[in-house]
Amino acid sequence: MFLTGEFSKIARVSKRSLQYYDEIGLLKPAYTDAQSGYRYYSARQLPRLNRILALKELGLTLQQIARMLEDDISEDEIRGMLLMQKSQLEQSLMQDLQRFRRIELLLQHPTEQAPDVVLKSVPAQRFLSMRTHISSLQTGWELILYMVRTLAQFAETRSINHFIAITHAETLTDDDIDVEFGFVLEENIDSPITISEDYDLTLNELPAVPTMATLVHLGGPATTNLAYGALGMWLEANNYGFTGPQREVFIEFPFPANDEDIVIEIQFPVKPMHNHDLLLSALPD
Amino acid sequence: MFLTGEFSKIARVSKRSLQYYDEIGLLKPAYTDAQSGYRYYSARQLPRLNRILALKELGLTLQQIARMLEDDISEDEIRGMLLMQKSQLEQSLMQDLQRFRRIELLLQHPTEQAPDVVLKSVPAQRFLSMRTHISSLQTGWELILYMVRTLAQFAETRSINHFIAITHAETLTDDDIDVEFGFVLEENIDSPITISEDYDLTLNELPAVPTMATLVHLGGPATTNLAYGALGMWLEANNYGFTGPQREVFIEFPFPANDEDIVIEIQFPVKPMHNHDLLLSALPD
DNA sequence: TTGCTCCTCACGTCACGTGAGGTGGC
DNA sequence: TTGCTCCTCACGTCACGTGAGGTGGC
């Protein structure tokens, strides 16, 4: 029989760990002196302790390990837990690999130049909008100004969130752009709504996007192309591909439009282009 | 200006996170109402928030991020932090990959058959021992019994730890085995010590082993070969190679020797045989 | 005025590390 | 008897999630 200190030296585990395993019932000493509280471990407990350590090395939590060491566990349940852990490790590997590559990329470029692209998931939203074709970005911009101005009073009486511009054209040509403008709503509304003789707004749903690459841009339309370029390079370098129409969310858009005060979030629905399954099979050794 | 709730929706961060970033000074609201405590964020704070999120995605801690966003930081310091994180990610990748493979191995074999091999680092120890050649394992066993018995009374007067047997022979042949037997001491001792007419014990140092593969075995010499086999298979499957002589640590060794009560820890100094540098360069994409 | 949002505690998470303060065995 | 070891609290870790309980603005 060994006291905590001796046993910890033999097994090369900290005393605190042994105490903790006792506390959570994972490994009780063979005998505990009721009066002094001294723990006495037997050499025969080493196999159990080593199994605990071996399982811990696989990244399992102590709770999971405790379950795996119970008597009434089936081989199937054990396999299930191992399979779960395996897929979690795979997740973690992919994430770390992404991070690793992003850091490599950052190291190649001055930090100030790197755009702060953030991936988010975006839920479906109620979207009160109109869709049309325009012949130039300039036309589009004027249409945006017109709509926002016209809808200003409407916005005051309804709960309106942000103004969003969507570019549907897959290939951007300068003289025919398929665009959609509108507002995100929280409440339900009878649609369509006529805002002028020329334009009707209809209510539809902006689809949810599981992976949206976003980049905030400070400034008006004159400089947004810079942000687009940076985002595009980021996506290419990190091996993401487009999966849907891009969005521009006007977060701050004062009247009269002062370019310096405009804050836009550029959004691209994306998906990773690398082949995950390929990775683990391609590893050396 | 946006309240916490609105800002959290725009940036798709939880309110609690914004509160926490405020609390630790990472991102203070543009304005905080002194009386109500209400936080007001400006759209112009989105770039900073997104930089925080982008850096968080790299696995940096909020403390590190806070440092990176300070004004007086140099490009070199930033590079240093990124390089550190890069190497940590590499560590983490290697570890997860090991775990992943070990689980794959476990899944191929019934759980009960898998030996609980544990890797530890072992420090250098004072070793009072004798070294000799023996002609069979049986001879070695008898010598061990003799030594342990002879040193029993010695052990009572000195602080003696465990009895350890080391096999130096690189190729085990049945008729010429180079072995070393002795005790680990904690105190210093004048060496050599004569324990009988035939044997002198000398004090030397058991070298430290950074990576020791260990396996606990219950039972006497008749069954240790099973443990050796299991350990060998584990090492091969996990791609470890031997780097030094094997040890047997007698953790429990009663008199008279009752095989069932013997507890031995088998130790192999090992090192990983896979090429780490190769891994990251061999990845697809 | 009624809701909705905001706020500030404060506990819980996970597996211990690290003292503080006190007792027990050789 | 003096040290050394043991013990039990109990806080700290990291980045929030999750209520509880209470106030403020439209």
Side-chain angles (χ1 to χ4, degrees), chain A residues 1-2 6 9-12 42-44 46-47 49-59 68 75 78-80 82-83 85-87 89-90 92-104 106-123 125 161-162 186 214-216 218-219 239 249 251-252 259-263 265 267 273-275 278-280 282-285, chain B residues 1-2 6 9-12 42-44 46-47 49-59 68 75 78-80 82-83 85-87 89-90 92-104 106-123 125 161-162 186 214-216 218-219 239 249 251-252 259-263 265 267 273-275 278-280 282-285:
Chain A
M1 301 289 255
F2 308 97
E6 312 169 69
K9 270 177 206 154
I10 292 170
R12 267 160 290 257
S42 138
R44 313 217 124 237
L46 271 178
L49 178 52
N50 276 352
R51 172 147 296 181
I52 291 170
L53 298 179
L55 292 173
K56 209 156 79 72
E57 249 308 292
L58 301 177
M68 289 188 81
E75 190 69 23
I78 290 182
R79 287 185 67 82
L82 291 177
L83 282 169
Q85 181 61 12
K86 187 183 159 191
S87 82
L89 282 173
E90 202 173 336
S92 160
L93 274 167
M94 294 312 151
Q95 194 187 31
D96 281 357
L97 191 57
Q98 282 277 343
R99 291 172 166 176
F100 186 86
R101 288 191 177 144
R102 274 186 212 173
I103 289 187
E104 278 187 326
L106 266 188
L107 286 169
Q108 284 167 27
H109 302 290
T111 319
E112 281 315 311
Q113 278 187 30
D116 293 314
V117 177
V118 178
L119 299 177
K120 305 168 175 175
S121 85
V122 174
Q125 292 164 300
N161 276 343
H162 299 109
E186 298 204 331
T214 70
L215 178 58
V216 168
L218 302 186
N239 229 325
V249 181
I251 292 169
E252 193 127 299
D259 275 17
E260 284 180 14
D261 293 334
I262 295 175
V263 180
E265 185 177 77
Q267 300 184 333
M273 298 303 283
H274 38 257
N275 188 339
L278 214 137
L279 169 67
L280 287 174
L283 292 175
D285 292 340
Chain B
M1 300 289 257
F2 308 98
E6 312 168 70
K9 270 177 208 154
I10 292 171
R12 268 161 290 257
S42 138
R44 314 217 124 236
L46 272 179
L49 177 53
N50 276 352
R51 171 146 297 181
I52 290 169
L53 298 178
L55 292 174
K56 209 155 81 73
E57 250 307 292
L58 300 178
M68 289 188 80
E75 190 70 21
I78 290 181
R79 287 185 68 84
L82 291 177
L83 283 170
Q85 181 61 11
K86 188 183 160 192
S87 82
L89 282 173
E90 202 172 336
S92 161
L93 274 167
M94 296 310 151
Q95 195 187 29
D96 281 356
L97 192 57
Q98 283 277 343
R99 290 172 167 176
F100 186 85
R101 288 191 176 144
R102 273 187 213 173
I103 289 186
E104 278 188 327
L106 267 187
L107 286 169
Q108 286 168 25
H109 303 288
T111 319
E112 281 315 312
Q113 278 187 30
D116 293 316
V117 177
V118 178
L119 299 177
K120 304 167 175 176
S121 84
V122 174
Q125 292 164 300
N161 277 344
H162 299 109
E186 298 203 330
T214 71
L215 178 57
V216 168
L218 302 185
N239 229 326
V249 181
I251 291 168
E252 194 127 299
D259 274 16
E260 284 180 13
D261 293 335
I262 296 175
V263 180
E265 184 177 78
Q267 301 185 331
M273 298 302 284
H274 39 258
N275 188 340
L278 215 138
L279 168 67
L280 287 175
L283 292 174
D285 291 339

